[in-house]
Amino acid sequence: MTTTPDIWEPLEPALSVRQVLTLERVLAGEPEVVAGASHLDRPVRWVHVAEAADVGVMLSGGEMVLTTGVLLAGDEEKQAEYVRSLHRADAAAVVLGLGRAFPAAPDVMRRAAERCGLPMVVLHRPFPFAELTEEVQSRLVRRKFAAVSLSEAVRTELTALITAGAPLQRLLDEVARHSACPVVVTNLAHRVLGTAGERPAVDDVLRDWERIARQAGGTEGDGWIRAELGGRGERWGRIVLCGYRGDTATGRLLADRAAEALVLHRMLGGGAACSWEEQSAQSLLTDLVSGVVPARQLLPRARAAGLPVNRRTFVPLVVRDGDTPRLDRLLRLLGLPGLVAELADGATAVLLSLPRDQDAGALAAHFAARLRTESGRARTVVAAADPRVVWDDVPAGLREARHVADAVADSAAALDLPPVVRLRDVHLRGLIRLLRDDPHVQSFAERELDGLLCETEEDLLSVLRTYLATGRNKSRTAQLHHVSRPALYRRLESIQVRLGVDLDDFEQAASVHIALLAHDAQQQ
């Protein structure tokens, strides 16, 4: 159940002293700041008219106090105490209307206000205090009700998204739309788990995130507003509005509503905060693999996600038959800095970031060996590209590693592969995989295998595949298909008749083998 906050709470939106002094009705009184000019951004929560020297006992903080000074004239001690009383009550400012009591700003009050850091303003023209009070109060009420309305609208929209099963990114996009500034979600170590907002603005924030995050962690200056994420006495992250241009109080309301929604999203999802880390890594690595976003533009995101990027060796890996949580745990266990993300078709990308003085090949091999031991799967394929020392070369490396992994996927030859498979290990199979979408290759495969591509000939196509994969070893082929040698001879004869080839001829057999590799690559 939602509750509407009290519209008179101090945290609700307020006008600053500076903003009040720019109002048209106030300008008619020819205001002049005579003390505390460096404190004009104090929020004005209310306007109060008071003459008594002990006015502070009637205030609760944030008031702009209006006075003619009629009860203070001729008594400098009362004048000084009047200012000190306002300071103790945390008043926003004092406005003195010049006239019969004070034709000019009294030095005692001015000096006391300067010492206290209390803005003191004098009005040089006669001015009805009621007009100023009416103007400020009406504006404050409108702003406060607008803030409450915005808060409830954001809460309703975010709750609806959560109910509809929207992902984290969709919630962050909605928060960024309302706040009109970059939005960043981090864990307690300042590692970025998610971002939203205009991409150039987000990149500017992430470019120097480590320094910015430390500053944003302790203050809310320059529009940096944060809210903690957690529950039951435990914090696990924070959301930060970066450079929010509205008033601070409204920004706090937005951040609080967003934090409530993110906590609810996590609770209903039943996942831990690390699942957001997985989503962050997946988004980054997917963008790197696709090449849609230039690698240079993704560098701030990688750095903010906790990946070391300065003077590093990057090892792109793609794993088949490996799940993301196990890979992530294994990286932490081995002390290898890197990112893990699930790609399509059962492949998982792993990007290692190693110091340049370490043996990248040996560490990749050790990682692959431990992965097979941990998973208990001897057929787990770990494909790798050659190490990269330039960040801009990482996307090509990831695509190469994926190409290698795809080339050996579901291959009987996978049992004979080295711990880490590279492009040089996949030979012809890798080339065919690379060219599988070429129309000429597709036409060649269909032409060569035309007699075996109907559904009724699938068994013969399977026999042909095994026969060629075993180097035309008839005994091994018969054994793998659990048939006698005479039965295999009959099938091979049938295959040759349908294809119009002689499989004992090396060139013809090689042509059929290449066509079959191309056909299988197109089916994956």
Side-chain angles (χ1 to χ4, degrees):
M1 184 177 72
T2 60
T3 58
T4 302
D6 184 344
I7 63 170
W8 309 127
E9 285 182 358
L11 289 182
E12 295 295 347
L15 294 167
S16 68
V17 175
R18 191 186 308 278
Q19 289 173 317
V20 171
L21 297 181
T22 62
L23 298 178
E24 185 176 350
R25 289 188 179 183
V26 179
L27 290 174
E30 297 183 7
E32 177 189 1
V33 180
V34 297
S38 61
H39 301 277
L40 295 181
D41 291 321
R42 283 185 172 183
V44 177
R45 192 178 61 86
W46 205 242
V47 179
H48 192 70
V49 180
E51 305 287 356
D54 59 348
V55 61
V57 299
M58 297 180 286
L59 307 179
S60 58
E63 293 88 352
M64 174 178 277
V65 178
L66 312 180
T67 182
T68 62
V70 65
L71 298 182
L72 306 175
D75 191 330
E76 292 187 348
E77 179 54 35
K78 284 186 177 182
Q79 295 170 23
E81 176 56 26
Y82 186 86
V83 172
R84 290 193 295 266
S85 179
L86 294 179
H87 172 64
R88 289 193 298 269
D90 199 24
V94 57
V95 178
L96 174 65
L98 300 181
R100 286 181 297 176
F102 290 105
D107 287 339
V108 173
M109 293 183 68
R110 182 180 55 78
R111 288 195 300 270
E114 193 65 48
R115 285 194 299 271
C116 294
L118 177 71
M120 180 176 176
V121 181
V122 296
L123 300 175
H124 288 279
R125 292 177 61 86
F127 185 83
F129 284 168
E131 291 187 11
L132 189 153
T133 301
E134 178 186 7
E135 177 76 9
V136 175
Q137 314 295 52
S138 62
R139 286 177 179 264
L140 287 174
V141 170
R142 288 198 300 270
R143 289 165 66 91
K144 290 172 181 177
F145 274 112
V148 172
S149 177
L150 174 63
S151 172
E152 290 304 305
V154 171
R155 174 184 277 144
T156 300
E157 291 173 14
L158 294 181
T159 301
L161 288 174
I162 294 171
T163 303
L168 170 65
Q169 187 60 53
R170 182 67 185 86
L171 269 66
L172 296 183
D173 289 340
E174 191 67 16
V175 175
R177 184 177 71 83
H178 281 288
S179 62
C181 70
V183 175
V184 176
V185 173
T186 75
N187 60 17
L188 294 182
H190 303 304
R191 179 174 176 179
V192 174
L193 306 180
T195 64
E198 296 292 334
R199 196 72 255 169
V202 172
D203 288 344
D204 285 343
V205 169
L206 297 184
R207 195 165 286 113
D208 196 17
W209 175 251
E210 187 175 348
R211 179 186 61 83
I212 291 174
R214 286 196 300 267
Q215 293 178 349
T219 65
E220 290 189 343
D222 299 325
W224 287 76
I225 299 171
R226 65 190 179 98
E228 302 298 325
L229 303 176
R232 298 179 180 177
E234 179 184 2
R235 293 187 301 117
W236 43 265
R238 58 177 59 88
I239 182 170
V240 186
L241 307 187
C242 308
Y244 179 71
R245 295 183 179 180
D247 60 76
T248 301
T250 300
R252 288 189 196 133
L253 285 174
L254 280 172
D256 287 344
R257 296 298 83 80
E260 291 174 2
L262 296 185
V263 171
L264 180 60
H265 181 273
R266 180 190 178 193
M267 290 173 58
L268 294 181
C274 65
S275 65
W276 289 2
E277 295 176 357
E278 292 169 6
Q279 292 177 38
S280 174
Q282 181 173 6
S283 173
L284 174 60
L285 291 184
T286 300
D287 286 345
L288 279 170
V289 171
S290 69
V292 174
V293 183
R296 181 58 50 184
Q297 294 183 20
L298 297 173
L299 187 58
R301 286 172 58 188
R303 184 183 290 112
L307 185 73
V309 295
N310 295 329
R311 297 187 58 78
R312 309 290 286 190
T313 296
F314 301 103
V315 183
L317 304 172
V318 170
V319 179
R320 285 284 182 180
D321 297 324
D323 61 273
T324 301
R326 175 182 286 115
L327 292 171
D328 206 25
R329 286 193 299 271
L330 183 57
L331 286 185
R332 291 196 298 270
L333 179 65
L334 299 177
L336 297 175
L339 296 177
V340 179
E342 184 177 350
L343 305 176
D345 303 325
T348 304
V350 180
L351 180 60
L352 302 181
S353 175
L354 307 174
R356 291 189 178 177
D357 59 353
Q358 292 187 349
D359 188 336
L363 287 174
H366 180 56
F367 170 78
R370 284 294 299 270
L371 176 60
R372 287 194 175 96
T373 301
E374 295 282 338
S375 64
R377 300 174 184 172
R379 290 177 57 89
T380 297
V381 173
V382 179
D386 290 334
R388 265 60 175 174
V389 295
V390 178
W391 174 258
D392 288 349
D393 295 338
V394 169
L398 285 168
R399 289 192 291 271
E400 179 183 317
R402 184 167 188 182
H403 161 66
V404 173
D406 290 345
V408 298
D410 302 322
S411 171
L415 292 173
D416 301 322
L417 293 172
V420 178
V421 190
R422 302 185 186 277
L423 191 60
R424 59 179 175 269
D425 299 315
V426 296
H427 306 296
L428 178 61
R429 187 180 299 275
L431 176 63
I432 295 300
R433 182 79 186 194
L434 190 64
L435 299 175
R436 65 177 179 172
D437 294 326
D438 187 296
H440 295 91
V441 174
Q442 294 173 354
S443 297
F444 168 75
E446 291 177 5
R447 183 173 63 251
E448 291 288 298
L449 301 174
D450 182 57
L452 294 179
L453 293 182
C454 59
E455 291 185 6
T456 58
E457 306 298 342
E458 286 185 1
D459 181 60
L460 291 180
L461 192 66
S462 176
V463 169
L464 175 63
R465 183 180 293 110
T466 304
Y467 179 62
L468 295 174
T470 58
R472 294 184 294 173
N473 187 318
K474 295 176 182 176
S475 297
R476 180 62 175 158
T477 302
Q479 181 182 11
L480 290 173
H481 282 270
H482 307 290
V483 297
S484 65
R485 288 184 63 131
L488 176 66
Y489 294 157
R490 288 193 295 272
R491 295 185 187 186
L492 290 177
E493 181 64 28
S494 180
I495 289 171
Q496 293 182 105
V497 170
R498 283 169 170 74
L499 296 183
V501 299
D502 179 4
L503 293 179
D504 289 331
D505 181 88
F506 176 79
E507 185 173 339
Q508 293 184 55
S511 180
V512 172
H513 194 183
I514 292 172
L516 186 58
L517 290 175
H519 169 75
D520 290 345
Q522 292 160 15
Q523 304 307 309
Q524 293 174 1

